[in-house]
Amino acid sequence: MSSSPSIAPSDLRRKVWDGVIPLQIILAPDECRILDSVEPFYINAARVSYFPQYFGRITAYFKNSLRDAEASLSSEWWLDFEGVPLRWNWPIGLLYDLLTGLDPTQADNPDHDWHLPWTLMLHHSQYPSDTLLRIASAGAVKEHWVNRVKEADFIRRGNANAVMSLSKTDSDEMWLGVEEHDFDKFWGITKKLLPSDPYALRHIPIKIYLPSSNKMLQALVPPSISPREFHTVGTALHAHLPQLFPSRRTSLLARPVLHGVLLSMAIPLAELLYECMYTDGYLHICIIMIS
Amino acid sequence: MTVLGVSDGITANYASNFPYLTSAEFSEACVSFLPRLHGSGITSRPLPSTEKDLYDGIEITTLREYGDIRVTSKAFILLSPIYSLPVLYFSSEYTSLHTGESTPITLVEDVYKYVITNPSQISLLSEPTMPSVSGSGAISQCEHPLYHGLLCFYIHPCHTGEVMNTLNEDPEVPDITLHSYLPLWIGFVGATVGIAIRG
Protein backbone atom coordinates (compact mmCIF):
# COMPACT_ATOMS: atom_id res chain seq x y z
CA MET A 1 0.00 0.00 0.00
CA SER A 2 2.66 2.49 1.01
CA SER A 3 4.49 1.85 -2.25
CA SER A 4 1.40 2.20 -4.43
CA PRO A 5 2.35 4.62 -7.18
CA SER A 6 -1.02 5.99 -8.15
CA ILE A 7 -3.34 6.31 -5.17
CA ALA A 8 -2.56 7.86 -1.80
CA PRO A 9 -4.02 5.90 1.14
CA SER A 10 -6.42 8.71 2.02
CA ASP A 11 -7.76 8.63 -1.55
CA LEU A 12 -8.31 4.93 -1.19
CA ARG A 13 -10.57 5.45 1.80
CA ARG A 14 -12.64 7.87 -0.25
CA LYS A 15 -12.82 5.46 -3.19
CA VAL A 16 -13.99 2.67 -0.91
CA TRP A 17 -16.59 4.98 0.61
CA ASP A 18 -17.90 6.13 -2.77
CA GLY A 19 -18.29 2.63 -4.21
CA VAL A 20 -21.89 1.90 -5.21
CA ILE A 21 -23.96 -0.97 -6.55
CA PRO A 22 -26.79 0.08 -8.89
CA LEU A 23 -29.96 -1.66 -7.74
CA GLN A 24 -33.19 -2.46 -9.56
CA ILE A 25 -35.85 -3.20 -6.96
CA ILE A 26 -38.99 -4.98 -8.11
CA LEU A 27 -42.03 -5.15 -5.84
CA ALA A 28 -43.02 -8.79 -5.32
CA PRO A 29 -46.30 -9.65 -7.11
CA ASP A 30 -48.08 -10.60 -3.92
CA GLU A 31 -47.27 -7.23 -2.39
CA CYS A 32 -48.84 -5.34 -5.31
CA ARG A 33 -52.31 -3.91 -5.24
CA ILE A 34 -52.51 -4.00 -9.05
CA LEU A 35 -50.13 -6.28 -10.90
CA ASP A 36 -47.78 -4.84 -13.54
CA SER A 37 -48.73 -1.34 -12.53
CA VAL A 38 -45.52 -0.17 -11.02
CA GLU A 39 -42.08 0.30 -12.50
CA PRO A 40 -39.05 -0.97 -10.60
CA PHE A 41 -37.20 1.39 -8.29
CA TYR A 42 -33.64 2.28 -9.20
CA ILE A 43 -31.02 3.48 -6.79
CA ASN A 44 -27.25 3.46 -6.38
CA ALA A 45 -26.61 1.85 -3.01
CA ALA A 46 -23.35 2.47 -1.17
CA ARG A 47 -21.29 -0.70 -0.93
CA VAL A 48 -20.46 -0.02 2.71
CA SER A 49 -24.10 0.53 3.72
CA TYR A 50 -26.82 -1.88 4.82
CA PHE A 51 -30.09 -2.58 2.97
CA PRO A 52 -32.45 -1.44 5.76
CA GLN A 53 -30.96 2.03 5.38
CA TYR A 54 -32.70 2.18 1.98
CA PHE A 55 -36.03 0.65 2.98
CA GLY A 56 -37.57 4.04 3.76
CA ARG A 57 -36.81 5.42 0.31
CA ILE A 58 -37.80 2.20 -1.43
CA THR A 59 -41.12 1.79 0.38
CA ALA A 60 -41.95 5.48 -0.09
CA TYR A 61 -41.66 4.89 -3.84
CA PHE A 62 -43.95 1.85 -3.78
CA LYS A 63 -46.34 3.22 -1.18
CA ASN A 64 -49.33 3.73 -3.45
CA SER A 65 -48.91 0.34 -5.07
CA LEU A 66 -48.96 -1.72 -1.90
CA ARG A 67 -51.71 -4.25 -1.38
CA ASP A 68 -51.24 -3.76 2.35
CA ALA A 69 -51.11 0.00 2.85
CA GLU A 70 -50.09 -0.37 6.51
CA ALA A 71 -46.90 -2.16 5.46
CA SER A 72 -45.29 1.15 4.51
CA LEU A 73 -45.16 1.95 8.22
CA SER A 74 -43.22 -1.20 9.04
CA SER A 75 -39.43 -1.52 9.28
CA GLU A 76 -39.42 -5.21 8.58
CA TRP A 77 -39.06 -5.60 4.83
CA TRP A 78 -36.90 -8.12 3.05
CA LEU A 79 -35.22 -8.60 -0.29
CA ASP A 80 -34.39 -11.66 -2.27
CA PHE A 81 -31.88 -12.29 -5.07
CA GLU A 82 -32.82 -15.22 -7.27
CA GLY A 83 -35.09 -16.51 -4.53
CA VAL A 84 -32.50 -16.27 -1.76
CA PRO A 85 -33.35 -13.87 1.10
CA LEU A 86 -30.61 -11.30 1.65
CA ARG A 87 -29.01 -11.01 5.09
CA TRP A 88 -29.66 -7.37 5.92
CA ASN A 89 -26.92 -7.45 8.56
CA TRP A 90 -24.19 -7.92 5.94
CA PRO A 91 -22.97 -4.84 4.02
CA ILE A 92 -24.46 -4.40 0.54
CA GLY A 93 -21.12 -4.58 -1.28
CA LEU A 94 -20.22 -7.85 0.43
CA LEU A 95 -23.60 -9.37 -0.49
CA TYR A 96 -23.24 -8.32 -4.11
CA ASP A 97 -19.68 -9.65 -4.47
CA LEU A 98 -20.46 -12.93 -2.74
CA LEU A 99 -23.89 -13.74 -4.17
CA THR A 100 -23.24 -12.74 -7.77
CA GLY A 101 -19.91 -14.58 -7.69
CA LEU A 102 -18.16 -11.41 -8.77
CA ASP A 103 -14.95 -12.25 -10.60
CA PRO A 104 -12.81 -9.18 -11.26
CA THR A 105 -10.59 -11.18 -13.61
CA GLN A 106 -13.50 -11.25 -16.08
CA ALA A 107 -13.38 -7.47 -16.62
CA ASP A 108 -12.43 -7.93 -20.28
CA ASN A 109 -14.89 -10.72 -20.97
CA PRO A 110 -17.90 -9.28 -22.85
CA ASP A 111 -19.99 -12.38 -22.10
CA HIS A 112 -19.60 -12.16 -18.35
CA ASP A 113 -22.85 -11.39 -16.50
CA TRP A 114 -22.19 -8.71 -13.92
CA HIS A 115 -25.80 -8.68 -12.73
CA LEU A 116 -25.95 -4.92 -13.12
CA PRO A 117 -28.19 -3.32 -12.19
CA TRP A 118 -28.50 -5.83 -9.37
CA THR A 119 -32.11 -7.00 -9.58
CA LEU A 120 -33.76 -7.74 -6.28
CA MET A 121 -37.32 -8.48 -5.24
CA LEU A 122 -38.93 -6.62 -2.36
CA HIS A 123 -41.25 -8.36 0.11
CA HIS A 124 -43.07 -7.55 3.28
CA SER A 125 -45.22 -10.56 4.07
CA GLN A 126 -43.96 -13.97 5.17
CA TYR A 127 -40.73 -12.68 6.63
CA PRO A 128 -38.30 -15.63 6.53
CA SER A 129 -37.62 -15.54 10.25
CA ASP A 130 -35.91 -18.91 10.20
CA THR A 131 -33.23 -17.48 7.92
CA LEU A 132 -33.06 -13.72 8.48
CA LEU A 133 -32.48 -11.84 11.71
CA ARG A 134 -35.56 -9.91 12.79
CA ILE A 135 -35.78 -6.19 12.28
CA ALA A 136 -37.53 -5.44 15.54
CA SER A 137 -37.49 -1.69 15.03
CA ALA A 138 -36.01 1.06 12.92
CA GLY A 139 -33.03 0.96 15.28
CA ALA A 140 -32.08 -2.60 14.35
CA VAL A 141 -29.28 -1.68 11.94
CA LYS A 142 -27.72 0.72 14.42
CA GLU A 143 -27.85 -1.87 17.20
CA HIS A 144 -26.23 -4.47 14.99
CA TRP A 145 -23.60 -2.01 13.80
CA VAL A 146 -22.75 -0.88 17.33
CA ASN A 147 -22.15 -4.48 18.41
CA ARG A 148 -19.76 -5.04 15.50
CA VAL A 149 -17.95 -1.75 16.15
CA LYS A 150 -17.40 -2.77 19.78
CA GLU A 151 -16.16 -6.19 18.74
CA ALA A 152 -13.78 -4.70 16.20
CA ASP A 153 -12.43 -2.27 18.78
CA PHE A 154 -11.92 -5.16 21.19
CA ILE A 155 -10.13 -7.18 18.54
CA ARG A 156 -7.86 -4.25 17.67
CA ARG A 157 -6.84 -3.42 21.22
CA GLY A 158 -7.80 -6.24 23.59
CA ASN A 159 -10.45 -3.99 25.14
CA ALA A 160 -13.31 -1.79 23.88
CA ASN A 161 -12.26 1.26 25.90
CA ALA A 162 -11.65 3.49 22.91
CA VAL A 163 -15.20 3.09 21.61
CA MET A 164 -16.74 3.29 25.09
CA SER A 165 -14.93 6.48 25.94
CA LEU A 166 -16.07 8.41 22.88
CA SER A 167 -18.13 11.41 23.91
CA LYS A 168 -21.84 11.24 23.13
CA THR A 169 -21.33 13.89 20.45
CA ASP A 170 -18.60 11.86 18.78
CA SER A 171 -20.50 8.64 19.10
CA ASP A 172 -23.63 10.23 17.54
CA GLU A 173 -21.51 11.73 14.78
CA MET A 174 -19.96 8.37 13.93
CA TRP A 175 -23.38 6.78 13.55
CA LEU A 176 -24.63 9.74 11.53
CA GLY A 177 -21.72 9.19 9.21
CA VAL A 178 -23.10 5.73 8.54
CA GLU A 179 -26.77 6.71 8.49
CA GLU A 180 -26.27 9.66 6.15
CA HIS A 181 -23.35 8.10 4.31
CA ASP A 182 -21.16 11.06 5.21
CA PHE A 183 -17.42 10.34 4.83
CA ASP A 184 -16.18 13.24 6.95
CA LYS A 185 -18.53 12.50 9.83
CA PHE A 186 -17.62 8.83 9.87
CA TRP A 187 -13.87 9.06 9.38
CA GLY A 188 -13.55 12.18 11.53
CA ILE A 189 -14.48 10.05 14.54
CA THR A 190 -13.14 6.66 13.44
CA LYS A 191 -9.64 8.13 13.12
CA LYS A 192 -9.73 8.68 16.90
CA LEU A 193 -10.24 4.97 17.47
CA LEU A 194 -7.22 3.90 15.43
CA PRO A 195 -3.68 4.14 16.81
CA SER A 196 -1.40 6.02 14.42
CA ASP A 197 0.66 2.88 13.86
CA PRO A 198 -1.39 0.01 12.42
CA TYR A 199 1.32 -2.39 13.56
CA ALA A 200 0.56 -1.48 17.16
CA LEU A 201 -2.78 -3.29 16.92
CA ARG A 202 -3.25 -6.55 18.75
CA HIS A 203 -5.27 -8.19 16.00
CA ILE A 204 -6.88 -7.19 12.75
CA PRO A 205 -10.67 -7.59 12.63
CA ILE A 206 -11.34 -9.76 9.62
CA LYS A 207 -14.21 -11.96 8.45
CA ILE A 208 -13.79 -14.27 5.51
CA TYR A 209 -16.76 -15.46 3.45
CA LEU A 210 -16.60 -18.73 1.57
CA PRO A 211 -18.15 -19.27 -1.85
CA SER A 212 -21.31 -21.37 -2.33
CA SER A 213 -21.93 -22.04 1.35
CA ASN A 214 -21.50 -18.35 2.23
CA LYS A 215 -20.08 -19.56 5.52
CA MET A 216 -18.35 -16.87 7.49
CA LEU A 217 -15.03 -17.51 9.14
CA GLN A 218 -13.89 -15.22 11.89
CA ALA A 219 -10.12 -15.03 12.00
CA LEU A 220 -7.89 -13.38 14.58
CA VAL A 221 -4.82 -12.21 12.72
CA PRO A 222 -2.06 -10.16 14.34
CA PRO A 223 -0.49 -7.40 12.21
CA SER A 224 2.89 -9.14 12.25
CA ILE A 225 4.07 -12.73 12.15
CA SER A 226 7.38 -11.78 13.74
CA PRO A 227 9.18 -8.52 14.51
CA ARG A 228 10.51 -8.47 10.98
CA GLU A 229 7.62 -9.91 9.01
CA PHE A 230 4.16 -8.43 8.70
CA HIS A 231 1.08 -10.44 7.81
CA THR A 232 -0.08 -10.02 4.26
CA VAL A 233 -3.38 -11.01 2.70
CA GLY A 234 -1.58 -14.15 1.49
CA THR A 235 0.04 -15.18 4.76
CA ALA A 236 -3.22 -14.65 6.66
CA LEU A 237 -5.30 -16.67 4.19
CA HIS A 238 -2.69 -19.40 4.14
CA ALA A 239 -2.76 -19.55 7.93
CA HIS A 240 -6.57 -19.72 8.19
CA LEU A 241 -7.62 -21.44 4.96
CA PRO A 242 -4.62 -23.56 3.98
CA GLN A 243 -6.68 -25.86 1.77
CA LEU A 244 -7.87 -22.97 -0.39
CA PHE A 245 -4.61 -21.03 -0.09
CA PRO A 246 -1.74 -23.52 -0.09
CA SER A 247 0.64 -20.76 -1.20
CA ARG A 248 1.28 -17.59 0.78
CA ARG A 249 2.15 -15.64 -2.33
CA THR A 250 0.12 -16.95 -5.23
CA SER A 251 -3.60 -17.52 -5.65
CA LEU A 252 -3.70 -21.08 -6.95
CA LEU A 253 -7.21 -22.30 -6.16
CA ALA A 254 -9.09 -19.28 -4.91
CA ARG A 255 -8.93 -15.50 -4.87
CA PRO A 256 -9.72 -12.89 -2.22
CA VAL A 257 -12.07 -10.02 -3.12
CA LEU A 258 -12.73 -6.87 -1.12
CA HIS A 259 -15.05 -4.06 -2.27
CA GLY A 260 -15.24 -5.72 -5.67
CA VAL A 261 -11.49 -5.61 -6.10
CA LEU A 262 -9.17 -8.56 -6.39
CA LEU A 263 -6.67 -8.36 -3.55
CA SER A 264 -3.02 -8.90 -4.23
CA MET A 265 -1.64 -11.54 -1.87
CA ALA A 266 1.25 -9.20 -1.04
CA ILE A 267 -0.82 -6.43 0.56
CA PRO A 268 0.07 -5.81 4.22
CA LEU A 269 -3.08 -6.66 6.16
CA ALA A 270 -2.81 -3.95 8.83
CA GLU A 271 -2.54 -1.22 6.23
CA LEU A 272 -5.37 -2.74 4.23
CA LEU A 273 -7.53 -2.48 7.34
CA TYR A 274 -6.79 1.19 7.84
CA GLU A 275 -7.73 2.20 4.31
CA CYS A 276 -10.36 -0.33 3.33
CA MET A 277 -12.28 -1.34 6.43
CA TYR A 278 -16.06 -1.30 6.40
CA THR A 279 -17.94 1.03 8.74
CA ASP A 280 -18.06 -1.64 11.45
CA GLY A 281 -14.28 -1.78 11.62
CA TYR A 282 -13.95 -5.13 9.87
CA LEU A 283 -12.38 -6.29 6.64
CA HIS A 284 -15.14 -8.42 5.07
CA ILE A 285 -13.28 -10.46 2.47
CA CYS A 286 -15.02 -12.85 0.14
CA ILE A 287 -13.35 -15.78 -1.52
CA ILE A 288 -14.04 -16.77 -5.11
CA MET A 289 -12.89 -20.00 -6.67
CA ILE A 290 -10.64 -19.94 -9.69
CA SER A 291 -12.56 -21.74 -12.41
CA MET B 1 -3.55 -15.11 40.14
CA THR B 2 -1.25 -18.01 40.98
CA VAL B 3 -1.30 -20.85 38.52
CA LEU B 4 -0.92 -24.25 40.13
CA GLY B 5 1.28 -26.10 37.69
CA VAL B 6 1.35 -25.66 33.96
CA SER B 7 1.36 -28.13 31.09
CA ASP B 8 3.05 -31.56 30.96
CA GLY B 9 0.32 -33.47 32.71
CA ILE B 10 -0.51 -31.23 35.65
CA THR B 11 -3.41 -28.98 34.72
CA ALA B 12 -3.68 -25.42 36.01
CA ASN B 13 -6.41 -24.77 38.56
CA TYR B 14 -6.67 -21.08 37.90
CA ALA B 15 -7.09 -19.07 34.73
CA SER B 16 -3.67 -17.77 33.72
CA ASN B 17 -5.19 -14.45 32.67
CA PHE B 18 -8.42 -14.21 34.69
CA PRO B 19 -11.17 -13.54 33.72
CA TYR B 20 -10.08 -14.54 30.22
CA LEU B 21 -9.80 -18.24 29.41
CA THR B 22 -7.64 -20.15 26.97
CA SER B 23 -9.29 -22.99 25.02
CA ALA B 24 -7.65 -25.54 27.31
CA GLU B 25 -8.76 -23.71 30.46
CA PHE B 26 -12.30 -23.37 29.12
CA SER B 27 -12.32 -27.06 28.24
CA GLU B 28 -11.27 -27.96 31.77
CA ALA B 29 -13.93 -25.67 33.21
CA CYS B 30 -16.54 -27.43 31.03
CA VAL B 31 -15.38 -30.88 32.12
CA SER B 32 -15.87 -30.09 35.78
CA PHE B 33 -19.12 -28.20 35.16
CA LEU B 34 -20.89 -30.83 33.10
CA PRO B 35 -21.87 -33.22 35.93
CA ARG B 36 -23.65 -30.38 37.70
CA LEU B 37 -25.88 -29.62 34.73
CA HIS B 38 -28.48 -32.29 35.22
CA GLY B 39 -31.75 -32.12 37.01
CA SER B 40 -35.40 -31.79 36.39
CA GLY B 41 -36.03 -30.16 33.06
CA ILE B 42 -32.37 -29.93 32.12
CA THR B 43 -30.03 -32.20 30.20
CA SER B 44 -26.57 -31.50 28.91
CA ARG B 45 -23.81 -32.98 26.84
CA PRO B 46 -20.26 -31.98 26.03
CA LEU B 47 -19.24 -30.75 22.59
CA PRO B 48 -16.08 -32.64 21.71
CA SER B 49 -13.31 -30.68 20.07
CA THR B 50 -11.39 -31.77 17.01
CA GLU B 51 -8.46 -31.68 19.40
CA LYS B 52 -8.27 -34.87 21.40
CA ASP B 53 -9.61 -34.89 24.93
CA LEU B 54 -10.75 -31.29 24.79
CA TYR B 55 -14.24 -29.86 24.76
CA ASP B 56 -15.37 -26.93 22.66
CA GLY B 57 -18.24 -26.31 25.04
CA ILE B 58 -21.47 -27.65 26.42
CA GLU B 59 -24.91 -28.08 24.89
CA ILE B 60 -27.83 -27.78 27.29
CA THR B 61 -31.52 -28.49 26.74
CA THR B 62 -34.03 -27.04 29.16
CA LEU B 63 -37.72 -27.54 29.44
CA ARG B 64 -40.09 -25.47 31.48
CA GLU B 65 -43.86 -25.69 31.73
CA TYR B 66 -45.94 -22.92 33.15
CA GLY B 67 -49.49 -21.85 32.57
CA ASP B 68 -50.58 -23.54 29.37
CA ILE B 69 -47.30 -23.48 27.55
CA ARG B 70 -44.05 -25.38 27.50
CA VAL B 71 -40.86 -23.51 26.70
CA THR B 72 -37.93 -25.53 25.41
CA SER B 73 -34.52 -24.01 24.92
CA LYS B 74 -31.34 -25.32 23.46
CA ALA B 75 -28.37 -23.48 24.86
CA PHE B 76 -24.68 -23.62 24.11
CA ILE B 77 -21.85 -22.51 26.34
CA LEU B 78 -18.99 -21.63 24.03
CA LEU B 79 -15.76 -19.70 24.31
CA SER B 80 -15.80 -16.43 22.37
CA PRO B 81 -12.81 -16.33 20.04
CA ILE B 82 -12.98 -12.54 20.20
CA TYR B 83 -13.38 -11.97 23.94
CA SER B 84 -11.86 -15.19 25.36
CA LEU B 85 -14.86 -15.33 27.69
CA PRO B 86 -17.67 -17.88 27.86
CA VAL B 87 -20.80 -16.92 25.94
CA LEU B 88 -24.30 -18.33 26.26
CA TYR B 89 -26.12 -18.86 22.97
CA PHE B 90 -29.68 -20.14 22.97
CA SER B 91 -32.69 -20.78 20.79
CA SER B 92 -36.14 -21.30 22.21
CA GLU B 93 -39.65 -22.21 21.22
CA TYR B 94 -42.93 -22.31 23.04
CA THR B 95 -45.52 -25.01 22.62
CA SER B 96 -49.17 -24.69 23.40
CA LEU B 97 -50.14 -27.52 25.73
CA HIS B 98 -53.65 -27.39 24.30
CA THR B 99 -52.92 -27.56 20.60
CA GLY B 100 -49.40 -28.97 20.57
CA GLU B 101 -48.43 -26.21 18.15
CA SER B 102 -44.88 -24.93 18.47
CA THR B 103 -43.67 -21.44 17.67
CA PRO B 104 -40.00 -20.54 17.44
CA ILE B 105 -39.05 -17.40 19.32
CA THR B 106 -37.32 -14.85 17.12
CA LEU B 107 -37.91 -11.49 18.80
CA VAL B 108 -35.94 -10.31 21.83
CA GLU B 109 -39.14 -9.03 23.39
CA ASP B 110 -40.54 -12.57 23.22
CA VAL B 111 -37.42 -13.87 24.92
CA TYR B 112 -38.26 -11.58 27.82
CA LYS B 113 -41.89 -12.61 27.63
CA TYR B 114 -41.51 -16.40 27.47
CA VAL B 115 -37.96 -17.42 28.34
CA ILE B 116 -36.45 -15.16 31.01
CA THR B 117 -37.05 -16.63 34.40
CA ASN B 118 -35.39 -13.89 36.39
CA PRO B 119 -35.73 -10.45 34.75
CA SER B 120 -33.90 -8.55 37.50
CA GLN B 121 -30.80 -10.58 36.88
CA ILE B 122 -30.76 -9.67 33.23
CA SER B 123 -30.54 -5.97 34.03
CA LEU B 124 -27.22 -6.76 35.75
CA LEU B 125 -25.92 -7.77 32.39
CA SER B 126 -27.00 -4.67 30.53
CA GLU B 127 -24.11 -3.59 28.48
CA PRO B 128 -21.97 -0.58 28.96
CA THR B 129 -22.17 0.79 25.49
CA MET B 130 -21.40 3.62 23.12
CA PRO B 131 -22.85 6.80 24.58
CA SER B 132 -25.12 7.39 21.62
CA VAL B 133 -26.96 4.14 22.29
CA SER B 134 -29.19 4.11 25.33
CA GLY B 135 -30.54 1.06 27.07
CA SER B 136 -28.85 -1.40 24.79
CA GLY B 137 -30.06 -4.75 26.01
CA ALA B 138 -27.94 -7.66 27.07
CA ILE B 139 -29.51 -10.03 24.52
CA SER B 140 -29.30 -9.92 20.74
CA GLN B 141 -30.27 -12.23 17.93
CA CYS B 142 -27.41 -13.64 15.89
CA GLU B 143 -26.40 -16.30 13.42
CA HIS B 144 -25.57 -19.54 15.22
CA PRO B 145 -21.82 -19.89 15.68
CA LEU B 146 -21.90 -23.67 15.16
CA TYR B 147 -24.81 -24.35 12.84
CA HIS B 148 -24.49 -22.31 9.69
CA GLY B 149 -27.84 -20.93 8.57
CA LEU B 150 -29.54 -21.24 11.95
CA LEU B 151 -30.41 -18.27 14.11
CA CYS B 152 -30.30 -17.92 17.88
CA PHE B 153 -29.77 -15.37 20.62
CA TYR B 154 -26.71 -14.60 22.67
CA ILE B 155 -25.95 -12.78 25.87
CA HIS B 156 -23.34 -10.13 25.20
CA PRO B 157 -20.08 -11.32 26.70
CA CYS B 158 -18.09 -8.15 27.15
CA HIS B 159 -19.74 -7.30 30.46
CA THR B 160 -19.03 -10.80 31.78
CA GLY B 161 -15.36 -10.04 32.38
CA GLU B 162 -16.18 -7.11 34.66
CA VAL B 163 -18.72 -9.10 36.66
CA MET B 164 -16.28 -11.98 37.12
CA ASN B 165 -13.56 -9.55 38.22
CA THR B 166 -15.91 -7.96 40.74
CA LEU B 167 -16.82 -11.37 42.10
CA ASN B 168 -13.19 -12.38 42.33
CA GLU B 169 -12.26 -9.23 44.20
CA ASP B 170 -15.07 -9.71 46.68
CA PRO B 171 -13.42 -10.82 49.93
CA GLU B 172 -16.40 -13.03 50.73
CA VAL B 173 -15.94 -15.03 47.53
CA PRO B 174 -13.05 -17.52 47.48
CA ASP B 175 -10.55 -17.12 44.62
CA ILE B 176 -12.21 -18.34 41.47
CA THR B 177 -10.74 -21.57 40.13
CA LEU B 178 -11.46 -23.23 36.79
CA HIS B 179 -13.75 -25.50 38.77
CA SER B 180 -15.81 -22.65 40.23
CA TYR B 181 -15.68 -20.36 37.18
CA LEU B 182 -18.66 -21.65 35.18
CA PRO B 183 -20.91 -22.33 38.19
CA LEU B 184 -20.45 -18.70 39.23
CA TRP B 185 -20.83 -17.48 35.67
CA ILE B 186 -24.00 -19.46 35.09
CA GLY B 187 -25.40 -17.89 38.25
CA PHE B 188 -25.85 -14.57 36.51
CA VAL B 189 -26.07 -15.69 32.89
CA GLY B 190 -28.00 -18.92 33.11
CA ALA B 191 -31.10 -17.32 34.56
CA THR B 192 -32.07 -16.46 31.02
CA VAL B 193 -32.88 -19.99 30.03
CA GLY B 194 -33.72 -21.29 33.45
CA ILE B 195 -30.38 -22.91 33.98
CA ALA B 196 -29.57 -23.26 37.63
CA ILE B 197 -27.32 -25.82 39.18
CA ARG B 198 -27.59 -27.97 42.22
CA GLY B 199 -25.63 -27.29 45.33
Side-chain angles (χ1 to χ4, degrees), chain A residues 211-279:
Chain A
S212 306
S213 67
N214 301 333
K215 261 193 192 176
M216 185 272 288
L217 181 73
Q218 176 112 32
L220 276 186
V221 184
S224 305
I225 299 169
S226 71
R228 282 178 308 153
E229 190 187 352
F230 46 74
H231 255 302
T232 61
V233 169
T235 58
L237 289 173
H238 174 74
H240 290 274
L241 287 170
Q243 272 134 342
L244 289 177
F245 293 93
S247 162
R248 291 173 184 79
R249 287 189 285 178
T250 318
S251 303
L252 296 169
L253 304 167
R255 288 193 254 258
V257 170
L258 177 68
H259 303 302
V261 171
L262 206 58
L263 292 176
S264 156
M265 299 278 267
I267 298 175
L269 210 60
E271 293 174 56
L272 182 66
L273 177 76
Y274 269 43
E275 306 317 323
C276 299
M277 59 183 238
Y278 278 83
T279 63

Side-chain angles (χ1 to χ4, degrees), chain A residues 3 49-50 65 75 86 94 101 105 110 112 120 127 151 165 179 194 248 270 290:
Chain A
S3 60
S49 296
Y50 299 90
S65 307
S75 318
L86 298 183
L94 168 67
T105 63
H112 186 75
L120 307 175
Y127 193 82
E151 270 173 17
S165 39
E179 193 177 48
L194 301 174
R248 291 173 184 79
I290 294 176

Side-chain angles (χ1 to χ4, degrees), chain A residues 97-130:
Chain A
D97 292 344
L98 192 64
L99 299 178
T100 64
L102 175 89
D103 186 349
T105 63
Q106 297 300 308
D108 296 329
N109 178 356
D111 297 323
H112 186 75
D113 183 1
W114 295 100
H115 295 277
L116 290 174
W118 197 20
T119 303
L120 307 175
M121 189 156 286
L122 178 72
H123 306 263
H124 183 257
S125 52
Q126 295 185 294
Y127 193 82
S129 54
D130 53 336

Side-chain angles (χ1 to χ4, degrees), chain A:
Chain A
M1 301 291 270
S2 43
S3 60
S4 167
S6 50
I7 303 180
S10 55
D11 292 344
L12 197 51
R13 270 186 197 167
R14 185 89 233 190
K15 280 204 172 324
V16 165
W17 190 264
D18 291 343
V20 295
I21 308 288
L23 304 178
Q24 174 179 251
I25 311 283
I26 297 173
L27 186 63
D30 54 347
E31 307 294 345
C32 296
R33 210 161 37 84
I34 305 160
L35 278 179
D36 296 331
S37 65
V38 61
E39 292 294 303
F41 179 67
Y42 296 91
I43 192 166
N44 283 337
R47 276 177 156 276
V48 299
S49 296
Y50 299 90
F51 276 118
Q53 294 179 257
Y54 293 92
F55 284 168
R57 273 164 281 190
I58 296 171
T59 57
Y61 172 80
F62 287 118
K63 193 170 166 194
N64 295 326
S65 307
L66 294 176
R67 190 175 46 79
D68 173 9
E70 302 262 299
S72 64
L73 301 169
S74 161
S75 318
E76 201 169 51
W77 289 81
W78 57 284
L79 293 161
D80 84 70
F81 171 57
E82 296 183 345
V84 177
L86 298 183
R87 287 166 160 103
W88 61 262
N89 51 308
W90 289 7
I92 293 174
L94 168 67
L95 286 165
Y96 171 77
D97 292 344
L98 192 64
L99 299 178
T100 64
L102 175 89
D103 186 349
T105 63
Q106 297 300 308
D108 296 329
N109 178 356
D111 297 323
H112 186 75
D113 183 1
W114 295 100
H115 295 277
L116 290 174
W118 197 20
T119 303
L120 307 175
M121 189 156 286
L122 178 72
H123 306 263
H124 183 257
S125 52
Q126 295 185 294
Y127 193 82
S129 54
D130 53 336
T131 331
L132 296 186
L133 299 181
R134 300 298 300 268
I135 304 176
S137 70
V141 174
K142 183 179 183 183
E143 186 194 321
H144 168 78
W145 174 82
V146 166
N147 285 330
R148 302 288 84 72
V149 166
K150 274 164 56 175
E151 270 173 17
D153 200 39
F154 193 97
I155 292 170
R156 287 191 301 254
R157 291 172 184 260
N159 61 66
N161 295 345
V163 157
M164 301 302 200
S165 39
L166 285 177
S167 68
K168 181 160 194 326
T169 315
D170 280 356
S171 175
D172 285 343
E173 180 93 335
M174 191 180 174
W175 167 247
L176 274 181
V178 175
E179 193 177 48
E180 298 169 0
H181 195 58
D182 185 317
F183 179 89
D184 294 320
K185 283 184 185 168
F186 174 77
W187 275 105
I189 309 303
T190 297
K191 275 191 313 207
K192 300 186 189 186
L193 300 176
L194 301 174
S196 49
D197 177 13
Y199 293 95
L201 296 182
R202 222 173 194 216
H203 290 108
I204 296 163
I206 174 171
K207 293 191 200 239
I208 304 168
Y209 299 79
L210 302 179
S212 306
S213 67
N214 301 333
K215 261 193 192 176
M216 185 272 288
L217 181 73
Q218 176 112 32
L220 276 186
V221 184
S224 305
I225 299 169
S226 71
R228 282 178 308 153
E229 190 187 352
F230 46 74
H231 255 302
T232 61
V233 169
T235 58
L237 289 173
H238 174 74
H240 290 274
L241 287 170
Q243 272 134 342
L244 289 177
F245 293 93
S247 162
R248 291 173 184 79
R249 287 189 285 178
T250 318
S251 303
L252 296 169
L253 304 167
R255 288 193 254 258
V257 170
L258 177 68
H259 303 302
V261 171
L262 206 58
L263 292 176
S264 156
M265 299 278 267
I267 298 175
L269 210 60
E271 293 174 56
L272 182 66
L273 177 76
Y274 269 43
E275 306 317 323
C276 299
M277 59 183 238
Y278 278 83
T279 63
D280 59 1
Y282 275 93
L283 287 171
H284 296 280
I285 296 178
C286 70
I287 306 299
I288 59 169
M289 299 307 292
I290 294 176
S291 47

